[in-house]
């Protein structure tokens, strides 16, 4: 089926679903239709001047600001001096809105584009659908939308009101929200409530583009994230969970329920949206969002307020919580289970709380298996007479993993919606895990593996003595130091080290210090004021500090932390521990800590997309194991293929048991990545295909047909993906592959060259004929590592020594490295010239001057390039320098008006636009090439 037939069928289907089909040819038609529909929707007649005011109101601001404007009313001063409130969408009643569909609207911005299918609500284009015929990569439709956004969406006010994009090649369909920065990772398939995908366009249209459902997604299930200034649209499992909760609140107030959504799937956003909608219901007095610890109280309040500023009332202490519950105006309150327990159990607060015990209150418990299921839960249940409980968990308590607590079902009733880790990995919403088990002692089972924790107990072995053996701990630290860079892509990512107890953690910390490693190590653990100092032998000994209180060790760690980061944290100060905790959370997310040593903290509830490795010397099991592993599996980019789990205990059986319990019997192959040897086999098969296409890197230049070029691109991209996984293994060795490293690097250079040739010119807007390789996804992220950046190149330059015989070879390595990184490639010639002209500074004695000299060289070369451009284009040099400086500061392209003002002579109207575009391109090129240290 051609794209035209696909488009025609889609419009016919939408027509049968109640959409009015209209013809809109261009922007003029679009604006005219908008005026008609706006008048109809608001039941009034607008004069030209009144409509102009509305257009001006709608024209300003970013996509994010326009999304908020869409949902608000506009105060219009009419020609008669009266105030009229203009609405753009009815959020309360779907039937009051006008739904239309059109196709092939032609818009002219930087280029002329025609959009496949556009859905309008009350005349505003709110949903855009791009179609490709079957067999065409779905990403091609995505890249087309990216191009539209650059070329014409950004120029036209009404098209910036698009809320949802949809892409389809008939067999596969995905949706995503409109933002300034569009990323394919945030496109989602639609499903039914059982997580079965509606991939085919006809099925997707019937379900997702049902008028009531589309209206609901736009008005209720898009969240404006105030922190990121971005739109977030709920994924299908989030939508169904919220709908289930709302249904139960409205129709079954005496029944509770829980949501099982795997860790990392966005439970905070789901619970926020549920809380927000419940709070709008007239019969509800309060929504209490309850977390387990005060650190999560801070984190959750921050996340809630990111979704809607001021949306929740965060309580700092029990007094304030009671005040917010009894007389606060905000309907949503975030608190901890501890504060809630205090409020209903201590006489000091009971008199006040008695006033609301009969109010209609909905309680939402985050990570409900962590809440205190004993007396606290019972006390809350008995105190409030008109309450309803909902729990969220990624790892429910079942009969199999219940220890002394009842099951989640016992406490919360039915599971209202389920989304397991297997489903989340299938949907690419979280990553799988690469788990490696390392032998740390000579006690083996019949299979030759380390004894598991359970086997050690069965064999009567003193596990504490084995696990805390000093020699064993030192070997583990040596292993971590040796392999940490490989695990974290040269510290592009961070890690957590989960340790069995505080005693052993302190010893590990001291061993790391003794090794004088340059890794940034931090630690945090909770302590009791009257902790028992005695160990099994009757003494508490750590590093020879007999009977030293753990708190004193933590004070030392905080002192080291202050010295490392120039901070001044003090655990004795008011809120001292919490301030220290919050700063550690912040520094991990900012990638300033390499390894965080913990016992229990940070193993649940903490999210950072830059965490990719968990070292484990702790007996994890069931929900604790999945929770801890899941700190590492947040999606970031293609350079983070999985979470790395490095176990120094044999937890394989426990890992398999946990995955089966929280997914199903067949989930292990989905959740756990393949072994090193399996990936080696896969890589070598791809290498075989590569060499059939081009037996050497030089042969790549002789690929004549587009099909062969496309095959090379896809094959080498697959090689890079597998290589990316292999590099995280401690056993990684190029000798295992059917290619030597130099040849691999040569092929990689050809891959980059092909990108520059086939795509680079089109990205810069130079046009070019249509090709099957147009808009292909090269996934250049696979080639970039944060470790190979300006700082890395400068460090290589500083280590050059012109007195060494290896000088020429070292220079070649630097230039080859620069040439292999797309963002640095255009600086190769500059660096080569800098080294040639400044060879005398590359000695041990003066290497500290290298960075300053390079900065001065780049500045001189930039000034020369600007001078040459000014001469060639006949521009005022002072004015063009101002423009370049402004572009450098704002990180935006040069302003058209300012470029015109820099002209020394007159330019014909026919040449004007082309000349301005040419100058803009030259300025962009100069900034990209010469601003070396701002990368």
């Amino acid at each position: 089926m051609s794209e035209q037939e696909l488009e025609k069928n889609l419009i016919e289907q939408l027509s049968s679903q109640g959409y009015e089909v209209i013809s809109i040819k261009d922007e003029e038609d679009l604006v005219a239709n908008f005026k008609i529909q706006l008048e109809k929707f608001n039941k009034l007649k607008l004069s030209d001047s009144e409509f102009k005011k509305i257009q001006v109101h709608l024209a300003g601001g970013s996509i994010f600001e326009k999304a908020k404007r869409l949902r608000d009313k506009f105060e219009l001063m009419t020609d008669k001096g009266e105030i009229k409130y203009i609405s753009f969408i009815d959020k309360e009643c779907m039937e009051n809105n006008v739904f239309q569909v059109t196709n092939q609207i032609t818009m002219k911005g930087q280029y002329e584009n025609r959009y496949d299918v556009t859905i309008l609500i009350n005349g505003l284009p709110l949903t855009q659908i791009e179609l490709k015929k079957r067999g065409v990569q779905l990403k091609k439709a995505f890249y087309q939308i990216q191009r539209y956004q650059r070329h014409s969406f950004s120029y036209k006010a009404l098209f910036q009101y698009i809320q949802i994009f949809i892409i389809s090649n008939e067999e596969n369909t995905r949706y995503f929200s409109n933002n300034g920065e569009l990323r394919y990772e945030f496109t989602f398939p639609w499903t039914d409530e059982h997580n079965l995908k509606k991939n085919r366009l006809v099925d997707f249209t019937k379900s997702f583009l049902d008028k009531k459902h589309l209206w609901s997604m736009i008005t209720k299930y898009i969240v404006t994230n105030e922190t990121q200034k971005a739109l977030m649209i709920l994924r299908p499992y989030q939508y169904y969970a919220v709908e289930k909760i709302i249904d139960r609140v409205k129709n079954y107030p005496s029944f509770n329920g829980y949501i099982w959504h795997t860790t990392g799937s966005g439970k905070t956003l789901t619970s926020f949206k549920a809380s927000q909608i419940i709070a709008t219901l007239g019969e509800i007095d309060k929504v209490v969002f309850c977390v387990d610890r005060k650190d999560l109280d801070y984190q959750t309040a921050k996340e809630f307020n990111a979704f809607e500023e001021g949306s929740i009332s965060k309580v700092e202490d029990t007094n304030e919580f009671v005040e917010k519950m009894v007389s606060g105006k905000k309907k949503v309150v975030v608190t901890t289970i501890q504060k809630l327990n205090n409020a209903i159990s201590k006489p000091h607060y009971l008199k006040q709380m008695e006033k609301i015990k009969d109010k209609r209150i909905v309680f939402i418990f985050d990570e409900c298996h962590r809440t205190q299921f004993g007396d606290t839960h019972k006390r809350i249940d008995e105190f409030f007479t008109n309450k309803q409980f909902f729990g969220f968990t990624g790892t429910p308590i079942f009969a199999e993993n219940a220890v002394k607590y009842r099951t989640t079902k016992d406490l919360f009733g039915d599971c209202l919606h389920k989304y397991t880790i297997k489903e989340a990995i299938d949907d690419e919403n979280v990553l799988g895990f690469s788990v490696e088990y390392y032998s740390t002692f000579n006690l083996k089972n019949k299979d030759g593996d380390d004894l598991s924790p359970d086997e050690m107990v069965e064999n009567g072995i003193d596990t504490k003595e084995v696990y805390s053996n000093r020699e064993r701990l030192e070997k583990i630290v040596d292993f971590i130091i040796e392999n940490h860079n490989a695990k974290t892509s040269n510290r592009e990512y961070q890690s957590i080290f989960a340790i069995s107890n505080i005693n052993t953690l302190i010893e590990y910390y001291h061993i790391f210090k003794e090794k004088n490693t340059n890794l940034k190590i931090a630690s945090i653990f909770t302590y009791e004021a009257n902790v028992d100092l005695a160990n099994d032998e009757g003494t508490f000994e750590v590093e020879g500090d007999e009977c030293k209180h753990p708190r004193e060790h933590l004070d030392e760690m905080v002192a080291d932390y202050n010295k490392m980061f120039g901070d001044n944290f003090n655990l004795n100060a008011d809120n001292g521990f919490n301030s220290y905790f919050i700063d550690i959370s912040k520094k991990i997310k900012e990638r300033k800590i390499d390894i965080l040593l913990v016992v229990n903290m940070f193993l649940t509830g903490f999210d950072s997309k830059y965490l990719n490795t968990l070292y484990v010397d702790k007996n994890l099991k069931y929900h604790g194991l999945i929770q801890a592993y899941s700190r590492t599996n947040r999606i970031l980019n293609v350079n983070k293929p999985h979470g790395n789990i490095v176990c120094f205990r044999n937890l394989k059986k426990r890992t398999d048991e946990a995955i089966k319990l929280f997914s199903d019997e067949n989930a292990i192959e989905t959740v756990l990545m393949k072994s090193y040897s399996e990936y080696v086999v896969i890589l070598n098969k791809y290498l075989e295909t590569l060499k059939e296409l081009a037996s050497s890197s030089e042969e790549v230049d002789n690929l004549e047909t587009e099909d062969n070029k496309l095959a090379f691109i896809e094959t080498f991209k697959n090689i890079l993906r597998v290589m990316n996984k292999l590099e995280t293994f401690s056993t990684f060795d190029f000798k295992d592959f059917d290619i030597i490293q130099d040849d691999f690097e040569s092929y990689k250079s050809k891959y980059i060259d092909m990108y520059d040739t086939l795509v680079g010119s089109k990205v810069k807007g130079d046009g070019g004929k249509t090709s099957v390789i147009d808009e292909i996804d090269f996934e250049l992220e696979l080639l970039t590592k944060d470790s190979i950046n300006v700082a890395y190149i400068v460090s290589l330059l500083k280590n050059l020594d012109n007195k060494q015989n290896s000088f020429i070879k070292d220079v070649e390595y630097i230039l080859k490295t620069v040439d292999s990184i797309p963002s640095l490639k255009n600086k190769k010639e500059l660096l080569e010239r800098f080294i040639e002209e400044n060879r005398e500074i590359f000695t041990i004695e003066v290497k500290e001057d290298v960075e300053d000299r390079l900065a001065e060289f780049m500045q001189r070369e930039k000034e020369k390039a600007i001078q040459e451009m000014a001469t060639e284009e006949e521009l005022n040099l002072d004015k063009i320098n101002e423009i370049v400086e402004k572009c450098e500061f704002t990180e935006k392209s040069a302003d058209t008006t300012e470029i015109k003002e820099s002209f020394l002579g007159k330019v014909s109207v026919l040449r004007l636009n082309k000349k301005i575009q040419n100058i803009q391109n030259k300025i962009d090129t100069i900034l990209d090439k010469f601003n070396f240290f701002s990368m």
Side-chain angles (χ1 to χ4, degrees):
M1 189 184 298
S2 68
E3 287 180 22
Q4 289 75 21
E5 291 174 306
L6 193 59
E7 195 174 295
K8 177 175 174 289
N9 290 349
L10 173 59
I11 290 173
E12 287 177 356
Q13 184 176 351
L14 289 172
S15 175
S16 70
Q17 292 180 197
Y19 288 79
E20 176 193 352
V21 181
I22 57 169
S23 174
I24 296 179
K25 296 177 182 177
D26 51 28
E27 185 185 9
E28 186 179 343
D29 285 357
L30 182 68
V31 172
N33 178 69
F34 173 54
K35 184 174 184 292
I36 293 168
Q37 304 310 321
L38 192 65
E39 290 174 334
K40 186 189 300 183
F41 176 58
N42 284 277
K43 297 181 175 60
L44 50 71
K45 192 71 177 174
L46 295 167
S47 69
D48 289 345
S49 62
E50 289 167 346
F51 183 60
K52 186 67 177 176
K53 288 179 185 178
I54 293 172
Q55 286 180 287
V56 170
H57 166 71
L58 293 176
S62 64
I63 292 169
F64 176 77
E65 289 163 338
K66 285 182 170 69
K68 295 172 72 175
R69 200 171 295 148
L70 168 70
R71 291 158 175 80
D72 292 334
K73 292 186 177 183
F74 172 56
E75 187 179 284
L76 172 68
M77 177 69 75
T78 68
D79 294 343
K80 295 179 180 179
E82 299 172 343
I83 297 294
K84 296 283 187 182
Y85 290 94
I86 305 299
S87 296
F88 302 103
I89 192 167
D90 189 327
K91 296 182 288 185
E92 306 303 323
C93 182
M94 183 275 294
E95 286 80 7
N96 291 340
N97 298 281
V98 180
F99 291 78
Q100 298 172 307
V101 61
T102 189
N103 66 319
Q104 295 298 314
I105 300 179
T106 299
M107 300 295 283
K108 293 182 180 179
Q110 187 176 352
Y111 300 95
E112 181 176 293
N113 289 296
R114 286 183 299 175
Y115 309 144
D116 288 352
V117 177
T118 306
I119 291 175
L120 306 103
I121 299 180
N122 307 324
L124 280 172
L126 299 187
T127 302
Q128 182 63 36
I129 306 166
E130 284 304 314
L131 304 171
K132 296 295 174 188
K133 64 183 179 182
R134 189 182 304 180
V136 174
Q137 277 188 325
L138 194 57
K139 276 190 177 181
K140 189 166 182 180
F142 175 78
Y143 290 133
Q144 193 161 334
I145 284 175
Q146 277 189 323
R147 193 176 73 239
Y148 288 165
Q149 195 175 62
R150 288 195 305 269
H151 292 173
S152 51
F153 284 159
S154 60
Y155 287 80
K156 306 299 176 185
L158 294 188
F159 266 95
Q160 280 203 327
Y161 279 87
I162 288 172
Q163 301 295 288
I164 301 173
F165 286 117
I166 294 164
I167 51 177
S168 179
N169 61 3
E170 189 181 5
E171 287 300 314
N172 289 297
T173 309
R174 299 177 80 89
Y175 71 99
F176 52 103
S177 57
N178 185 16
N179 284 299
E181 182 184 354
L182 300 176
R183 292 174 58 186
Y184 190 76
E185 299 98 285
F186 297 109
T187 66
F188 317 121
W190 187 247
T191 71
D192 64 14
E193 65 175 284
H194 305 293
N195 304 311
L196 296 174
K197 291 184 177 67
K198 304 279 188 180
N199 278 332
R200 294 187 68 246
L201 181 59
V202 64
D203 299 325
F204 179 94
T205 301
K206 184 177 180 181
S207 176
F208 190 91
L209 293 180
D210 171 81
K211 287 197 303 182
K212 187 170 184 179
H213 181 265
L214 180 63
W215 166 81
S216 183
M217 293 301 292
I218 290 173
T219 57
K220 291 198 292 184
Y221 293 111
I222 286 180
V223 175
T224 51
N225 187 308
E226 292 286 346
T227 301
Q228 299 175 13
K229 302 298 180 190
L231 306 186
M232 300 174 70
I233 189 166
L234 267 63
R235 304 175 192 207
Y237 58 87
Q238 294 173 311
Y239 164 84
Y240 288 115
V242 175
E243 287 284 297
K244 290 286 186 181
I245 291 174
I246 303 305
D247 176 66
R248 186 145 287 201
V249 170
K250 284 182 175 181
N251 301 314
Y252 306 96
S254 58
F255 290 88
N256 302 322
Y258 75 94
I259 302 297
W260 172 9
H261 282 184
T262 190
T263 303
S265 59
K267 290 192 296 296
T268 302
L269 177 58
T270 313
S271 55
F272 163 77
K273 182 48 69 175
S275 302
Q276 187 188 51
I277 295 175
I278 292 168
T280 65
L281 302 177
E283 65 268 30
I284 302 300
D285 294 299
K286 289 285 181 183
V287 181
V288 180
F289 190 84
C290 196
V291 293
D292 184 34
R293 297 196 308 268
K294 65 179 180 179
D295 47 74
L296 286 181
D297 181 23
Y298 164 82
Q299 183 173 322
T300 305
K302 186 177 178 183
E303 290 177 357
F304 265 47
N305 277 319
F307 299 144
E308 185 179 327
E309 202 166 359
S311 65
I312 59 97
S313 176
K314 174 179 174 266
V315 291
E316 300 296 341
D317 54 38
T318 306
N319 274 320
E320 189 176 348
F321 168 67
V322 172
E323 183 184 333
K324 300 295 183 187
M325 288 293 290
V326 175
S327 56
K329 293 181 180 178
K330 294 284 186 182
K331 288 182 74 171
V332 181
V333 179
V334 174
T335 191
T336 62
I337 189 81
Q338 293 85 355
K339 291 172 191 170
L340 179 55
N341 183 46
N342 287 340
I344 60 172
S345 60
K346 295 189 176 181
H348 177 66
Y349 305 115
L350 271 175
K351 187 176 179 181
Q352 287 290 95
M353 291 297 289
E354 289 284 345
K355 297 176 184 177
I356 62 163
K357 66 180 300 182
D358 299 323
K359 296 284 187 181
R360 178 86 158 89
I361 300 174
V362 174
F363 290 92
I364 296 179
F365 293 87
D366 182 49
E367 290 298 348
C368 59
H369 70 272
R370 287 206 308 269
T371 55
Q372 299 177 24
F373 282 175
D375 292 339
T376 300
H377 186 87
K378 184 179 178 182
R379 196 175 291 121
I380 297 168
D381 191 16
E382 291 175 350
F383 182 83
F384 294 98
T385 62
N386 194 15
K387 80 288 177 183
Q388 198 168 12
F389 289 163
F390 296 98
F392 278 80
T393 180
T395 48
I397 303 296
F398 300 115
E400 295 92 331
N401 60 316
V403 183
K404 60 181 178 179
Y405 301 136
R406 290 174 288 168
T407 67
T408 306
K409 183 178 175 62
D410 291 336
L411 290 158
F412 289 93
D414 297 335
C415 176
L416 303 181
H417 193 260
K418 181 171 77 170
Y419 186 69
T420 68
I421 189 169
K422 178 186 177 184
E423 290 163 332
I425 292 170
D426 277 337
D427 290 344
E428 299 179 347
N429 286 328
V430 298
L431 301 171
F433 305 110
S434 173
V435 186
E436 297 178 79
Y437 306 94
Y438 289 97
S439 177
T440 58
F441 43 76
N442 296 320
L443 301 168
K444 307 294 181 185
N445 59 23
K446 57 182 173 44
D447 298 319
D449 298 323
D450 275 5
L451 292 177
S452 70
D454 303 302
E455 288 171 328
M456 292 182 74
V457 172
E458 289 168 7
N459 283 275
I461 296 168
D462 185 342
T463 56
K464 286 188 177 180
E465 181 181 1
V466 171
Y467 286 134
S468 62
N469 178 273
R470 169 79 185 200
E471 184 181 352
R472 172 181 177 271
L473 302 187
E474 286 186 346
K475 285 181 177 178
I476 289 172
V477 170
D478 288 338
F479 177 92
I480 291 173
I481 292 172
E482 182 181 349
N483 292 283
H484 185 76
N485 281 358
K487 293 295 175 192
T488 60
S489 293
N490 289 318
R491 306 190 203 178
E492 182 178 354
Y493 307 109
Q494 279 56 61
S495 69
I496 287 177
F497 189 0
I499 300 164
S500 57
N501 56 65
I502 293 173
N503 192 348
T504 307
L505 181 150
I506 293 168
E507 188 147 10
Y508 266 125
Y509 184 86
H510 288 163
I511 294 171
F512 272 110
K513 282 186 70 174
E514 289 170 11
K515 299 290 182 180
N516 289 320
T517 173
N518 62 359
L519 291 168
K520 288 185 170 64
I521 309 291
S523 179
I524 188 169
F525 52 82
T526 53
Y527 51 85
E528 298 294 335
N530 299 306
V531 67
D532 183 4
L533 300 181
N535 61 18
D536 288 346
E537 297 174 347
T539 59
F540 185 94
E541 292 186 354
V542 180
E543 287 287 287
D545 294 329
E546 189 169 326
C547 290
K548 194 170 186 178
H549 196 290
R551 164 63 190 274
E552 296 173 55
H553 287 284
L554 186 57
D555 282 334
E556 288 180 9
M557 294 173 188
V558 173
D560 290 342
Y561 185 89
N562 288 336
K563 185 177 179 181
M564 182 161 51
F565 295 112
D567 291 323
N568 191 30
F569 291 101
N570 181 358
L571 300 185
N572 294 313
D574 288 344
N575 207 33
F577 184 85
N578 201 37
S579 297
Y580 179 55
F581 167 85
I582 290 168
D583 195 70
I584 284 181
S585 305
K586 183 167 168 272
K587 282 189 169 64
I588 291 178
K589 292 181 179 182
E590 293 173 348
R591 296 189 283 176
K592 292 180 179 177
I593 294 172
D594 292 314
I595 306 176
L596 177 67
L597 276 55
V598 300
V599 176
N600 291 313
M601 296 185 76
F602 284 87
L603 297 183
T604 59
F606 178 75
D607 288 346
S608 172
K609 60 187 177 183
Y610 289 108
L611 261 172
N612 87 322
T613 299
L614 177 73
Y615 301 109
V616 182
D617 189 16
K618 182 180 177 74
N619 290 342
L620 298 169
K621 194 172 186 180
Y622 290 131
H623 49 280
L625 182 145
I626 293 294
Q627 286 279 344
Y629 283 17
S630 296
R631 298 313 100 210
T632 67
N633 73 338
R634 301 305 185 267
I635 297 282
L636 178 59
N637 55 36
V638 292
N639 264 328
K640 187 183 177 185
H642 48 247
N644 292 317
I645 312 298
V646 183
C647 290
F648 301 112
R649 302 188 180 196
N650 184 4
L651 300 180
K652 182 164 191 338
K653 185 177 179 182
R654 290 187 173 190
T655 298
D656 292 348
E657 287 172 347
I659 291 169
K660 290 175 183 176
L661 180 63
F662 295 113
S663 285
D664 58 50
E665 291 290 323
N666 303 310
I668 292 174
E669 289 188 8
T670 300
V671 178
L672 300 184
M673 310 306 291
K674 300 179 189 300
S675 67
Y676 177 80
S677 58
E678 288 174 298
Y679 282 123
V680 169
V681 171
I682 293 169
L683 182 75
N684 284 333
K685 284 182 179 178
Y686 280 132
L687 288 170
E688 186 179 335
T689 303
L690 177 72
K691 290 176 181 178
E692 287 173 1
L693 284 165
S695 58
S696 67
S697 59
E698 290 80 9
E699 287 296 311
V700 175
D701 296 330
N702 298 327
L703 296 174
E704 293 181 354
T705 68
E706 288 198 335
D707 286 346
N708 283 343
K709 290 176 183 177
L710 186 62
F712 169 74
I713 292 165
E714 291 296 336
T715 301
F716 197 76
K717 186 164 63 179
N718 286 328
I719 289 170
L720 288 171
R721 285 180 184 145
V722 180
M723 188 68 78
N724 203 36
K725 297 179 193 294
L726 282 163
E727 286 174 344
T728 66
F729 287 88
S730 55
T731 51
F732 176 83
D733 192 333
F734 245 97
K735 293 176 183 176
D736 296 326
F737 316 137
D738 296 338
I739 191 171
I740 62 173
Q741 189 165 0
D742 280 350
D743 287 350
F744 174 78
E745 294 297 333
S746 296
Y747 276 111
K748 189 162 77 172
S749 292
K750 293 297 181 184
Y751 179 80
I752 297 169
D753 290 342
M754 192 171 286
Y755 170 81
D756 285 343
T757 302
L758 298 173
V759 177
S761 61
K762 295 177 177 61
V763 169
K764 294 172 184 173
D766 294 341
K769 66 178 182 178
T770 302
S771 162
V772 295
I773 303 174
D774 281 358
E775 299 163 2
I776 190 171
D777 180 22
F778 274 77
E779 291 191 18
L780 290 183
E781 282 180 312
L782 286 165
L783 298 168
T784 61
K785 300 281 185 187
D786 281 4
S787 55
I788 303 180
N789 55 15
V790 170
Y792 177 72
I793 299 301
V794 170
S795 70
L796 293 179
L797 291 172
K798 285 182 177 180
N799 287 323
L800 282 175
D801 187 350
N802 62 34
K803 297 176 183 176
Q804 295 291 325
N805 294 332
S806 62
F807 179 75
I808 299 298
K809 189 174 180 181
D810 292 339
V811 170
E812 288 176 355
Y813 173 77
I814 292 172
L815 297 176
K816 189 171 185 177
T817 301
V818 169
D819 194 47
S820 70
I821 304 301
S823 61
L824 297 176
K825 188 178 176 69
N826 64 350
K827 296 166 181 58
K828 178 185 174 185
E829 180 270 331
L830 282 168
L831 284 173
E832 187 172 16
R833 196 146 45 82
F834 170 72
I835 295 169
E836 287 176 2
E837 295 176 9
N838 297 275
R839 180 164 178 155
E840 76 283 355
I841 71 169
F842 296 108
T843 64
I844 298 299
E845 294 78 20
V846 297
K847 66 180 181 180
E848 294 303 321
D849 297 334
V850 169
E851 194 165 345
D852 291 339
R853 292 280 285 269
L854 179 57
E856 291 167 5
F857 173 81
M858 289 292 182
Q859 182 61 30
R860 285 197 306 272
E861 293 298 313
K862 182 168 72 172
E863 289 170 0
K864 281 166 60 177
I866 294 171
Q867 172 74 64
E868 288 171 6
M869 177 181 65
T871 302
E872 186 178 331
E873 297 288 347
E874 298 180 333
L875 306 171
N876 179 293
L877 182 59
D878 291 338
K879 183 64 180 174
I880 208 69
N881 270 318
E882 286 178 17
I883 293 171
V884 173
E885 189 176 337
K886 182 178 178 181
C887 292
E888 199 169 359
F889 178 74
T890 63
E891 297 183 354
K892 293 180 180 177
S893 292
D895 182 76
T896 301
T897 303
E898 291 179 352
I899 290 176
K900 286 182 189 176
E901 292 171 356
S902 72
F903 292 167
L904 291 175
K906 289 186 177 181
V907 180
S908 71
V909 175
L910 293 175
R911 289 185 56 239
L912 183 62
N913 287 341
K914 187 174 181 181
K915 183 177 177 70
I916 289 172
Q917 182 67 57
N918 193 37
I919 293 168
Q920 283 178 326
N921 288 340
K922 285 186 176 181
I923 291 173
D924 289 345
T925 300
I926 288 170
L927 291 176
D928 181 51
K929 185 173 183 179
F930 297 102
N931 283 6
F932 188 69
F933 289 96
S934 64
M935 293 185 62

